[in-house]
Amino acid sequence: MNINGHMNTMFRIIPILIVTFSLQIVDGTENRIVGGRPASEGEFPFQVSLRRSYNDNHFCGGSLIDPSHVLTAAHCMYYIWGGILPPFVVSVVAGQLNLTMTEKSVYRNASVITVHPGFDKKLMTNDVAIIELSEPFPTEENPLIATIPLREDHLDHGTCVVSGWGVEKHTSENVSEILLAANVDIVNKKKCNELYGGDTIKESMMCAGDKTGERDACQGDSGGPLLCNGLLTGVVSTGDGCANPNFPGIYADVSNLIPWIKDNSEYGGKTIVSDTEETTVIDSTVTTIITTLLPEANRIIATSKPRTINGTARNISFSIALLIMSSVYSLIRYFLG
């Protein structure tokens, strides 16, 4: 084989190496509703599925709060070693009940990921993130896709609905093929702290569950919605196991986080640019070259479970490494004409 043949082979291998490298540093753990029922078409038009594009696997849920922004859990946006996912590895699917892509599915890439600056991986406080999409979802043209209004007042009682494609048992590894929903009761913070012990439930958190232990969110539901009286009230965050009668599920309390959500989205018709010195914002600029190396169908999506290591510096190093790899690739192509 001549030099051009060798180089052409290398051009095909480099993108594969980049994908492989990315896959080696992410956690495959997938965070189904326990005791749930199948959702009806159009019942949760704001519910979205976050995907890995290399195999289209679901890894977390989210809610469409305006046509261009998805509210999800901050812990869904991290690699296992602590770094925040670059936008080019996250895609969002809306307008469907089944995880399998259909003609009704609508697919968007992420362009910016913004993680709440107060997110604490140990305490799981402020567990929210916003994904800005590469282009808006067609909420006006597609009846199966809609935004959801946010609750702005704190709720400490009542029955709500949690939905998602997560596992149905804490010990299971298989997510649900169809969107499931379950009724759960709000547990006030005082009672929830008594159950968990100490001061576990912070200001940015709320609890909901079933005292019989028959219904709850579970792994794979993370980032998904807790719907109360038609309003997005909570974001699936964490808990002790799944459907444990003594430990309700823990959610990010949307009402407590409203100012930050408004400041980092177009919710309410108001757009405010994030302060990058206070908020972790990862845009797609540094990864533009890498994404051009990969066909649309081969762009990867990855996830991780929460970790206690601060991964900001590591994430920057990883992005620089990818940029260097892509630059070498571009230089080789340039010198070979």
Side-chain angles (χ1 to χ4, degrees):
M1 183 182 291
N2 59 30
I3 183 68
N4 287 332
H6 282 295
M7 297 313 296
N8 286 335
T9 300
M10 185 168 66
F11 295 153
R12 291 193 295 268
I13 291 175
I14 289 177
I16 296 173
L17 290 175
I18 294 173
V19 173
T20 302
F21 177 67
S22 300
L23 292 180
Q24 292 301 314
I25 57 174
V26 300
D27 178 14
T29 301
E30 292 169 335
N31 272 345
R32 191 163 156 176
I33 295 289
V34 179
R37 58 169 176 80
S40 304
E41 187 171 69
E43 185 177 4
F44 303 100
F46 50 86
Q47 173 98 45
V48 300
S49 167
L50 307 187
R51 304 291 184 99
R52 301 184 181 106
S53 62
Y54 75 95
N55 59 9
D56 199 39
N57 277 357
H58 165 89
F59 68 89
C60 272
S63 301
L64 193 64
I65 59 173
D66 69 60
S68 298
H69 295 88
V70 169
L71 181 64
T72 188
H75 75 261
C76 289
M77 297 292 102
Y78 281 80
Y79 286 106
I80 190 171
W81 43 267
I84 298 175
L85 300 177
F88 79 92
V89 303
V90 177
S91 293
V92 182
V93 177
Q96 65 182 59
L97 292 177
N98 295 331
L99 286 180
T100 303
M101 298 286 281
T102 70
E103 69 281 355
K104 296 180 181 179
S105 305
V106 183
Y107 177 100
R108 294 287 186 267
N109 290 316
S111 62
V112 179
I113 293 174
T114 307
V115 174
H116 194 289
F119 173 55
D120 188 303
K121 298 173 197 174
K122 275 188 176 180
L123 302 177
M124 296 299 285
T125 52
N126 304 299
D127 189 11
V128 289
I130 290 176
I131 301 171
E132 183 175 332
L133 306 171
S134 56
E135 61 179 301
F137 275 115
T139 54
E140 306 240 340
E141 298 86 6
N142 191 326
L144 298 179
I145 303 176
T147 60
I148 182 171
L150 309 182
R151 176 173 293 281
E152 301 198 28
D153 58 314
H154 177 69
L155 188 68
D156 61 5
H157 66 278
T159 299
C160 304
V161 181
V162 61
S163 56
W165 289 275
V167 300
E168 291 185 278
K169 295 179 181 179
H170 181 56
T171 56
S172 175
E173 295 182 357
N174 300 317
V175 296
S176 173
E177 170 59 24
I178 190 169
L179 182 64
L180 299 176
N183 291 345
V184 290
D185 298 319
I186 299 295
V187 179
N188 66 57
K189 287 183 180 178
K190 180 180 179 181
K191 178 62 176 178
C192 201
N193 267 321
E194 289 175 358
L195 292 171
Y196 274 95
D199 188 30
T200 300
I201 310 306
K202 307 298 183 182
E203 194 65 26
S204 66
M205 306 159 100
M206 62 179 297
C207 299
D210 174 54
K211 61 180 64 176
T212 66
E214 294 179 355
R215 298 183 297 273
D216 196 7
C218 204
Q219 283 74 30
D221 297 319
S222 285
L226 178 69
L227 182 69
C228 306
N229 299 320
L231 300 176
L232 181 60
T233 303
V235 176
V236 178
S237 178
T238 186
D240 190 331
C242 303
N244 187 330
N246 299 314
F247 297 99
I250 299 174
Y251 299 75
D253 186 346
V254 169
S255 67
N256 182 264
L257 300 161
I258 280 287
W260 181 85
I261 294 171
K262 287 184 176 180
D263 284 354
N264 291 280
S265 70
E266 297 172 10
Y267 179 76
K270 186 177 182 182
T271 303
I272 300 178
V273 178
S274 303
D275 183 346
T276 55
E277 292 184 358
E278 297 182 1
T279 303
T280 304
V281 179
I282 307 296
D283 64 33
S284 57
T285 305
V286 74
T287 58
T288 299
I289 298 176
I290 299 299
T291 57
T292 59
L293 297 176
L294 303 174
E296 184 75 23
N298 292 332
R299 296 183 188 175
I300 61 170
I301 297 183
T303 186
S304 72
K305 55 190 176 183
R307 295 290 172 180
T308 57
I309 301 172
N310 187 330
T312 303
R314 294 187 181 185
N315 185 67
I316 293 173
S317 299
F318 174 60
S319 297
I320 292 173
L322 290 179
L323 185 59
I324 291 172
M325 292 170 68
S326 64
S327 299
V328 171
Y329 173 79
S330 299
L331 285 172
I332 294 174
R333 290 194 63 113
Y334 174 79
F335 285 115
L336 288 178

